[in-house]
Amino acid sequence: MTASASLPTFALARIFPFHFVVDTELRVAAIGPGVARLCPDLALGARLDDALALERPAIRPSWHALSTLGERLVIFRGRGAYARVVLRGQLIALPDDGGLLFAGGPW
């Protein structure tokens, strides 16, 4: 028996205020209020790698590379004026729309 549940956007933002979702082109499709406050460059429609640099694992970010990380730890660092922002968490593939959900927090 398999169970399926989806989380409404308001609940996701409340549970994971530092979440974001990117589409298959690594453009931001959703963003939590905590991340929006810490890193305003990570806005809806922005390219992930324009706002955040992937520090760990040491791979070139692409949808395929990020979607195969499973439960591995990921660390992102803000770019430019937000270079002091460090986010630590996991990426989770969203099967319904092909997006990737980052669930984590500041570190």
Side-chain angles (χ1 to χ4, degrees):
M1 180 174 166
T2 43
S4 177
S6 61
L7 207 54
T9 304
F10 77 90
L12 183 62
R14 188 148 187 197
I15 296 168
F16 294 111
F18 296 95
H19 83 277
F20 59 83
V21 176
V22 293
D23 63 17
T24 56
E25 296 177 7
L26 298 186
R27 293 201 176 274
V28 178
I31 187 165
V35 174
R37 187 175 55 253
L38 284 181
C39 191
D41 287 350
L42 192 69
L44 291 176
R47 286 198 41 88
L48 175 65
D49 52 354
D50 287 344
L52 297 175
L54 180 64
E55 287 196 341
R56 184 175 177 184
I59 59 171
R60 183 170 176 245
S62 69
W63 182 88
H64 181 265
L66 295 175
S67 68
T68 61
L69 291 175
E71 296 180 9
R72 291 182 59 186
L73 171 71
V74 293
I75 298 176
F76 289 100
R77 179 177 294 276
R79 294 188 182 272
Y82 304 101
R84 298 180 87 190
V85 173
V86 178
L87 300 171
R88 180 179 188 221
Q90 292 180 314
L91 288 166
I92 301 160
L94 301 173
D96 291 343
D97 62 5
L100 293 170
L101 165 68
F102 170 83
W107 190 39

